[in-house]
Amino acid sequence: FYNKDFVFKKFGKKILKKINKQIVFFPCYPTKNFFSYKKRHLNFNKINLVYIGNSPKKNAKANFDTLLYKTLDHITLNKIYLTYLNNPQRYFEKNEYALHEISKKNKYFRFKKGYLPWELKNKTTSFNFGIMPFYFSKNYSNEQMEGISTKIFTYIEQGLPIIVTNKMPSLSDFIEKHELGIVLKNKYEITNLKTIIKKYDYNILI
């Protein structure tokens, strides 16, 4: 690290300060071959959401409960389907067992092994929206609130409109500015998500 002008990796602030180098981070999404161009259609009687990414770490118990489980409950109580495509490289670590058990009991929730980035193309055509389920936690750091997760670009590549909360201002501003999806304005809108979705012209979002 110390002999290089740049470090091509994403590190925390403590490491950045220690090595005193500029951090440059390149997500592995640079090629047009990752993009899906298939036309999507929305059936309000069977709305399908997808979350693509890692599950929250189990040692962060408060976040593990609030980031995902409450969101999952509200979505499925709306009779909206939610599929969780987990990181295929860590599909069944300890904290994934709970999600797998929920998927066996809740017909509106599916927990599945996901795909590597270059395998995703056209694997998401049955879904209507990508979702960022980071909604209920009050413990966000400024870095988390102001950051833009690379998941958003995975959804864009797949042609998926995105559902996100306005509690993450950088992300929600980006989505609103470019008409990439739906920004939930308060914590109660997630409990009435199907009605919120019906207010939007899906053809404009895609």
Side-chain angles (χ1 to χ4, degrees), residues 59-96:
N59 58 6
K61 184 68 169 65
N63 283 341
F64 186 66
D65 288 342
T66 56
L67 290 180
L68 184 61
Y69 287 143
K70 289 185 179 179
T71 308
L72 188 160
D73 287 342
H74 287 305
I75 290 171
T76 58
L77 285 171
N78 271 266
K79 297 184 178 179
I80 294 174
Y81 291 89
L82 172 63
T83 299
Y84 194 130
L85 294 180
N86 200 29
N87 183 339
Q89 295 176 314
R90 49 167 289 181
Y91 173 46
F92 248 68
E93 292 186 3
K94 289 182 179 179
N95 52 312
E96 274 84 42

Short mmCIF file of all heavy atoms in Angstrom, two decimals, residues 59-96:
data_model
loop_
_atom_site.label_atom_id
_atom_site.label_comp_id
_atom_site.label_asym_id
_atom_site.label_seq_id
_atom_site.Cartn_x
_atom_site.Cartn_y
_atom_site.Cartn_z
N ASN A 59 -24.01 -10.50 13.57
CA ASN A 59 -23.48 -9.89 14.79
C ASN A 59 -23.97 -8.45 14.95
O ASN A 59 -23.83 -7.87 16.02
CB ASN A 59 -21.95 -9.94 14.82
CG ASN A 59 -21.31 -9.25 13.62
OD1 ASN A 59 -22.00 -8.64 12.83
ND2 ASN A 59 -20.01 -9.39 13.49
N ALA A 60 -24.54 -7.88 13.89
CA ALA A 60 -25.20 -6.58 14.02
C ALA A 60 -26.69 -6.85 14.23
O ALA A 60 -27.52 -6.61 13.37
CB ALA A 60 -24.97 -5.74 12.77
N LYS A 61 -27.02 -7.37 15.39
CA LYS A 61 -28.36 -7.92 15.65
C LYS A 61 -29.47 -6.92 15.40
O LYS A 61 -30.46 -7.22 14.75
CB LYS A 61 -28.44 -8.43 17.08
CG LYS A 61 -29.76 -9.12 17.43
CD LYS A 61 -29.90 -10.44 16.68
CE LYS A 61 -31.07 -11.26 17.21
NZ LYS A 61 -32.36 -10.66 16.99
N ALA A 62 -29.31 -5.69 15.89
CA ALA A 62 -30.37 -4.70 15.73
C ALA A 62 -30.63 -4.41 14.26
O ALA A 62 -31.76 -4.39 13.81
CB ALA A 62 -30.01 -3.41 16.47
N ASN A 63 -29.56 -4.23 13.50
CA ASN A 63 -29.73 -3.95 12.08
C ASN A 63 -30.27 -5.16 11.34
O ASN A 63 -31.08 -5.05 10.43
CB ASN A 63 -28.40 -3.52 11.47
CG ASN A 63 -28.05 -2.09 11.82
OD1 ASN A 63 -28.93 -1.33 12.21
ND2 ASN A 63 -26.80 -1.73 11.71
N PHE A 64 -29.82 -6.35 11.73
CA PHE A 64 -30.28 -7.58 11.07
C PHE A 64 -31.80 -7.69 11.19
O PHE A 64 -32.48 -8.06 10.24
CB PHE A 64 -29.60 -8.77 11.72
CG PHE A 64 -29.90 -10.08 11.03
CD1 PHE A 64 -29.47 -10.31 9.74
CD2 PHE A 64 -30.64 -11.06 11.67
CE1 PHE A 64 -29.74 -11.51 9.10
CE2 PHE A 64 -30.92 -12.26 11.04
CZ PHE A 64 -30.46 -12.49 9.75
N ASP A 65 -32.34 -7.38 12.35
CA ASP A 65 -33.78 -7.44 12.55
C ASP A 65 -34.51 -6.34 11.80
O ASP A 65 -35.51 -6.58 11.14
CB ASP A 65 -34.12 -7.34 14.04
CG ASP A 65 -33.74 -8.61 14.79
OD1 ASP A 65 -33.56 -9.65 14.13
OD2 ASP A 65 -33.61 -8.56 16.02
N THR A 66 -34.02 -5.11 11.92
CA THR A 66 -34.80 -3.99 11.42
C THR A 66 -34.61 -3.76 9.93
O THR A 66 -35.54 -3.36 9.25
CB THR A 66 -34.42 -2.69 12.17
OG1 THR A 66 -33.02 -2.47 12.05
CG2 THR A 66 -34.79 -2.80 13.63
N LEU A 67 -33.42 -4.03 9.40
CA LEU A 67 -33.18 -3.76 7.99
C LEU A 67 -33.98 -4.66 7.07
O LEU A 67 -34.43 -4.25 6.03
CB LEU A 67 -31.69 -3.94 7.66
CG LEU A 67 -30.72 -2.92 8.22
CD1 LEU A 67 -29.30 -3.26 7.79
CD2 LEU A 67 -31.08 -1.52 7.76
N LEU A 68 -34.17 -5.89 7.50
CA LEU A 68 -34.77 -6.84 6.59
C LEU A 68 -36.09 -7.42 7.06
O LEU A 68 -37.08 -7.40 6.35
CB LEU A 68 -33.78 -7.98 6.33
CG LEU A 68 -34.26 -9.02 5.31
CD1 LEU A 68 -34.48 -8.35 3.95
CD2 LEU A 68 -33.25 -10.13 5.17
N TYR A 69 -36.14 -7.92 8.29
CA TYR A 69 -37.32 -8.66 8.71
C TYR A 69 -38.59 -7.83 8.72
O TYR A 69 -39.65 -8.27 8.27
CB TYR A 69 -37.09 -9.27 10.09
CG TYR A 69 -36.13 -10.44 10.08
CD1 TYR A 69 -35.23 -10.63 11.12
CD2 TYR A 69 -36.13 -11.35 9.03
CE1 TYR A 69 -34.35 -11.70 11.11
CE2 TYR A 69 -35.25 -12.41 9.02
CZ TYR A 69 -34.36 -12.59 10.06
OH TYR A 69 -33.51 -13.64 10.05
N LYS A 70 -38.54 -6.60 9.24
CA LYS A 70 -39.74 -5.77 9.28
C LYS A 70 -40.18 -5.40 7.87
O LYS A 70 -41.38 -5.38 7.57
CB LYS A 70 -39.49 -4.52 10.13
CG LYS A 70 -39.38 -4.82 11.62
CD LYS A 70 -39.24 -3.54 12.42
CE LYS A 70 -39.14 -3.85 13.91
NZ LYS A 70 -38.98 -2.62 14.73
N THR A 71 -39.21 -5.09 7.03
CA THR A 71 -39.53 -4.78 5.64
C THR A 71 -40.17 -5.98 4.96
O THR A 71 -41.16 -5.85 4.24
CB THR A 71 -38.28 -4.35 4.88
OG1 THR A 71 -37.61 -3.33 5.61
CG2 THR A 71 -38.61 -3.85 3.50
N LEU A 72 -39.61 -7.15 5.19
CA LEU A 72 -40.14 -8.39 4.63
C LEU A 72 -41.59 -8.60 5.06
O LEU A 72 -42.46 -8.91 4.24
CB LEU A 72 -39.26 -9.55 5.09
CG LEU A 72 -39.46 -10.94 4.51
CD1 LEU A 72 -38.20 -11.76 4.73
CD2 LEU A 72 -40.64 -11.66 5.14
N ASP A 73 -41.86 -8.40 6.33
CA ASP A 73 -43.22 -8.59 6.84
C ASP A 73 -44.20 -7.65 6.17
O ASP A 73 -45.29 -8.06 5.74
CB ASP A 73 -43.26 -8.36 8.36
CG ASP A 73 -42.62 -9.49 9.14
OD1 ASP A 73 -42.46 -10.59 8.56
OD2 ASP A 73 -42.28 -9.28 10.31
N HIS A 74 -43.85 -6.37 6.08
CA HIS A 74 -44.77 -5.40 5.49
C HIS A 74 -45.04 -5.68 4.02
O HIS A 74 -46.17 -5.54 3.55
CB HIS A 74 -44.21 -3.98 5.66
CG HIS A 74 -44.31 -3.47 7.07
ND1 HIS A 74 -45.49 -3.42 7.76
CD2 HIS A 74 -43.36 -2.99 7.91
CE1 HIS A 74 -45.28 -2.92 8.97
NE2 HIS A 74 -44.00 -2.66 9.08
N ILE A 75 -44.01 -6.07 3.30
CA ILE A 75 -44.17 -6.35 1.88
C ILE A 75 -45.08 -7.55 1.66
O ILE A 75 -46.02 -7.51 0.86
CB ILE A 75 -42.80 -6.59 1.22
CG1 ILE A 75 -42.01 -5.26 1.16
CG2 ILE A 75 -42.95 -7.17 -0.18
CD1 ILE A 75 -40.58 -5.43 0.74
N THR A 76 -44.82 -8.63 2.37
CA THR A 76 -45.60 -9.85 2.15
C THR A 76 -47.02 -9.75 2.69
O THR A 76 -47.93 -10.39 2.17
CB THR A 76 -44.88 -11.08 2.74
OG1 THR A 76 -44.65 -10.88 4.14
CG2 THR A 76 -43.54 -11.30 2.05
N LEU A 77 -47.23 -8.93 3.73
CA LEU A 77 -48.60 -8.69 4.20
C LEU A 77 -49.43 -7.94 3.16
O LEU A 77 -50.65 -8.02 3.16
CB LEU A 77 -48.58 -7.92 5.52
CG LEU A 77 -48.19 -8.73 6.76
CD1 LEU A 77 -48.00 -7.81 7.96
CD2 LEU A 77 -49.22 -9.82 7.06
N ASN A 78 -48.76 -7.23 2.27
CA ASN A 78 -49.42 -6.58 1.13
C ASN A 78 -49.72 -7.58 0.01
O ASN A 78 -50.21 -7.20 -1.04
CB ASN A 78 -48.53 -5.48 0.56
CG ASN A 78 -48.75 -4.13 1.21
OD1 ASN A 78 -49.52 -3.32 0.72
ND2 ASN A 78 -48.07 -3.88 2.32
N LYS A 79 -49.37 -8.84 0.22
CA LYS A 79 -49.49 -9.89 -0.79
C LYS A 79 -48.67 -9.55 -2.03
O LYS A 79 -49.07 -9.76 -3.17
CB LYS A 79 -50.96 -10.14 -1.15
CG LYS A 79 -51.78 -10.65 0.02
CD LYS A 79 -53.22 -10.98 -0.38
CE LYS A 79 -53.99 -11.54 0.81
NZ LYS A 79 -55.39 -11.85 0.47
N ILE A 80 -47.48 -9.01 -1.74
CA ILE A 80 -46.49 -8.75 -2.77
C ILE A 80 -45.37 -9.77 -2.60
O ILE A 80 -44.94 -10.06 -1.47
CB ILE A 80 -45.92 -7.32 -2.63
CG1 ILE A 80 -47.02 -6.29 -2.93
CG2 ILE A 80 -44.73 -7.11 -3.56
CD1 ILE A 80 -46.60 -4.86 -2.68
N TYR A 81 -44.91 -10.34 -3.70
CA TYR A 81 -43.86 -11.35 -3.64
C TYR A 81 -42.48 -10.67 -3.54
O TYR A 81 -42.20 -9.68 -4.22
CB TYR A 81 -43.90 -12.23 -4.88
CG TYR A 81 -45.12 -13.12 -4.94
CD1 TYR A 81 -46.28 -12.68 -5.55
CD2 TYR A 81 -45.10 -14.39 -4.38
CE1 TYR A 81 -47.42 -13.48 -5.60
CE2 TYR A 81 -46.23 -15.21 -4.42
CZ TYR A 81 -47.38 -14.74 -5.04
OH TYR A 81 -48.51 -15.54 -5.08
N LEU A 82 -41.65 -11.23 -2.68
CA LEU A 82 -40.28 -10.74 -2.52
C LEU A 82 -39.32 -11.92 -2.65
O LEU A 82 -39.42 -12.90 -1.91
CB LEU A 82 -40.09 -10.07 -1.16
CG LEU A 82 -38.66 -9.68 -0.78
CD1 LEU A 82 -38.09 -8.65 -1.76
CD2 LEU A 82 -38.61 -9.14 0.64
N THR A 83 -38.40 -11.82 -3.59
CA THR A 83 -37.36 -12.84 -3.75
C THR A 83 -36.02 -12.27 -3.33
O THR A 83 -35.66 -11.15 -3.71
CB THR A 83 -37.27 -13.31 -5.21
OG1 THR A 83 -38.53 -13.90 -5.58
CG2 THR A 83 -36.16 -14.33 -5.39
N TYR A 84 -35.32 -13.02 -2.54
CA TYR A 84 -34.01 -12.62 -2.03
C TYR A 84 -32.96 -13.46 -2.74
O TYR A 84 -32.85 -14.66 -2.51
CB TYR A 84 -33.97 -12.87 -0.52
CG TYR A 84 -32.84 -12.23 0.22
CD1 TYR A 84 -33.08 -11.49 1.37
CD2 TYR A 84 -31.52 -12.37 -0.20
CE1 TYR A 84 -32.04 -10.91 2.08
CE2 TYR A 84 -30.48 -11.79 0.50
CZ TYR A 84 -30.74 -11.07 1.64
OH TYR A 84 -29.72 -10.50 2.33
N LEU A 85 -32.22 -12.85 -3.67
CA LEU A 85 -31.13 -13.54 -4.35
C LEU A 85 -29.84 -13.24 -3.59
O LEU A 85 -29.25 -12.17 -3.75
CB LEU A 85 -31.03 -13.08 -5.81
CG LEU A 85 -32.21 -13.45 -6.71
CD1 LEU A 85 -31.99 -12.93 -8.13
CD2 LEU A 85 -32.45 -14.96 -6.73
N ASN A 86 -29.45 -14.17 -2.76
CA ASN A 86 -28.30 -13.93 -1.89
C ASN A 86 -26.98 -14.07 -2.66
O ASN A 86 -26.92 -14.68 -3.73
CB ASN A 86 -28.33 -14.93 -0.73
CG ASN A 86 -27.49 -14.47 0.45
OD1 ASN A 86 -27.32 -13.28 0.65
ND2 ASN A 86 -26.97 -15.41 1.20
N ASN A 87 -25.93 -13.51 -2.09
CA ASN A 87 -24.60 -13.63 -2.66
C ASN A 87 -24.26 -15.11 -2.83
O ASN A 87 -24.20 -15.84 -1.85
CB ASN A 87 -23.60 -12.95 -1.71
CG ASN A 87 -22.18 -12.96 -2.26
OD1 ASN A 87 -21.82 -13.76 -3.11
ND2 ASN A 87 -21.37 -12.05 -1.76
N PRO A 88 -24.02 -15.57 -4.05
CA PRO A 88 -23.78 -17.01 -4.26
C PRO A 88 -22.50 -17.51 -3.60
O PRO A 88 -22.34 -18.71 -3.39
CB PRO A 88 -23.69 -17.12 -5.79
CG PRO A 88 -23.28 -15.77 -6.25
CD PRO A 88 -23.94 -14.80 -5.31
N GLN A 89 -21.60 -16.61 -3.27
CA GLN A 89 -20.35 -17.01 -2.65
C GLN A 89 -20.48 -17.19 -1.14
O GLN A 89 -19.56 -17.67 -0.49
CB GLN A 89 -19.26 -15.98 -2.96
CG GLN A 89 -18.94 -15.92 -4.45
CD GLN A 89 -17.94 -14.84 -4.78
OE1 GLN A 89 -18.05 -13.71 -4.33
NE2 GLN A 89 -16.95 -15.19 -5.57
N ARG A 90 -21.63 -16.80 -0.59
CA ARG A 90 -21.85 -16.99 0.85
C ARG A 90 -23.31 -17.35 1.09
O ARG A 90 -23.96 -16.87 2.01
CB ARG A 90 -21.49 -15.73 1.64
CG ARG A 90 -22.08 -14.44 1.09
CD ARG A 90 -21.94 -13.31 2.07
NE ARG A 90 -22.83 -13.49 3.20
CZ ARG A 90 -22.92 -12.62 4.20
NH1 ARG A 90 -22.15 -11.57 4.23
NH2 ARG A 90 -23.76 -12.82 5.19
N TYR A 91 -23.82 -18.23 0.27
CA TYR A 91 -25.26 -18.52 0.24
C TYR A 91 -25.78 -19.04 1.57
O TYR A 91 -26.85 -18.68 2.01
CB TYR A 91 -25.52 -19.54 -0.87
CG TYR A 91 -26.93 -20.08 -0.93
CD1 TYR A 91 -28.03 -19.21 -0.85
CD2 TYR A 91 -27.17 -21.43 -1.09
CE1 TYR A 91 -29.32 -19.71 -0.93
CE2 TYR A 91 -28.45 -21.92 -1.18
CZ TYR A 91 -29.53 -21.06 -1.10
OH TYR A 91 -30.80 -21.55 -1.17
N PHE A 92 -25.02 -19.90 2.26
CA PHE A 92 -25.58 -20.48 3.47
C PHE A 92 -24.65 -20.34 4.67
O PHE A 92 -24.32 -21.32 5.33
CB PHE A 92 -25.94 -21.95 3.24
CG PHE A 92 -27.42 -22.16 3.26
CD1 PHE A 92 -28.21 -21.65 2.26
CD2 PHE A 92 -28.03 -22.84 4.30
CE1 PHE A 92 -29.58 -21.83 2.27
CE2 PHE A 92 -29.40 -23.03 4.32
CZ PHE A 92 -30.18 -22.52 3.30
N GLU A 93 -24.24 -19.13 4.94
CA GLU A 93 -23.59 -18.87 6.20
C GLU A 93 -24.66 -18.88 7.29
O GLU A 93 -25.86 -18.90 7.02
CB GLU A 93 -22.86 -17.53 6.15
CG GLU A 93 -21.67 -17.56 5.20
CD GLU A 93 -20.85 -16.29 5.25
OE1 GLU A 93 -21.16 -15.40 6.06
OE2 GLU A 93 -19.89 -16.19 4.48
N LYS A 94 -24.26 -18.82 8.55
CA LYS A 94 -25.18 -19.04 9.67
C LYS A 94 -26.40 -18.12 9.64
O LYS A 94 -27.52 -18.54 9.90
CB LYS A 94 -24.44 -18.87 10.99
CG LYS A 94 -23.46 -20.00 11.29
CD LYS A 94 -22.79 -19.79 12.64
CE LYS A 94 -21.83 -20.93 12.93
NZ LYS A 94 -21.16 -20.74 14.24
N ASN A 95 -26.18 -16.84 9.30
CA ASN A 95 -27.31 -15.92 9.36
C ASN A 95 -28.31 -16.09 8.22
O ASN A 95 -29.36 -15.50 8.22
CB ASN A 95 -26.83 -14.47 9.42
CG ASN A 95 -25.85 -14.15 8.31
OD1 ASN A 95 -24.92 -14.90 8.08
ND2 ASN A 95 -26.02 -13.02 7.66
N GLU A 96 -27.98 -16.93 7.23
CA GLU A 96 -28.92 -17.16 6.15
C GLU A 96 -29.97 -18.24 6.49
O GLU A 96 -31.00 -18.33 5.84
CB GLU A 96 -28.18 -17.58 4.87
CG GLU A 96 -27.69 -16.42 4.03
CD GLU A 96 -26.36 -15.90 4.51
OE1 GLU A 96 -25.48 -16.70 4.85
OE2 GLU A 96 -26.20 -14.67 4.57
#
